[in-house]
Amino acid sequence: MRELPRAPVRLYAGTADRDVAFANTESCRRSLAANGVDAPVEEIAGADHVGSALAAYPRIVRWFRELATRS
């Protein structure tokens, strides 16, 4: 029996990432969805690997803050 994550899941990906193909993120999202997990993708347009990480960090912090205020 598979267990679903007990925490919310969100994926972040840069559309110009040459180290990790954006298609990998979509594949991961589909796999999670097939197992009942809602994992939206935050697309970081035009960002490469490092650029997408740097752009994602503030978004992740905001999301965590939003989640913390709901608890």
Side-chain angles (χ1 to χ4, degrees):
M1 179 174 158
R2 292 184 178 162
E3 288 191 39
L4 298 178
R6 291 190 285 170
V9 177
R10 189 175 282 182
L11 304 170
Y12 295 81
T15 59
D17 191 333
R18 293 180 185 208
D19 296 304
V20 179
F22 191 83
N24 287 1
T25 304
E26 283 298 319
S27 175
C28 182
R29 185 198 57 74
R30 284 191 303 273
S31 180
L32 288 165
N35 287 285
V37 178
D38 178 31
V41 174
E42 288 281 324
E43 189 174 305
I44 303 173
D48 64 5
H49 195 69
V50 173
S52 65
L54 294 174
Y57 297 149
R59 295 180 188 194
I60 295 166
V61 169
R62 276 193 301 275
W63 183 49
F64 283 177
R65 285 185 178 144
E66 289 172 21
L67 292 172
T69 60
R70 292 183 204 164
S71 304

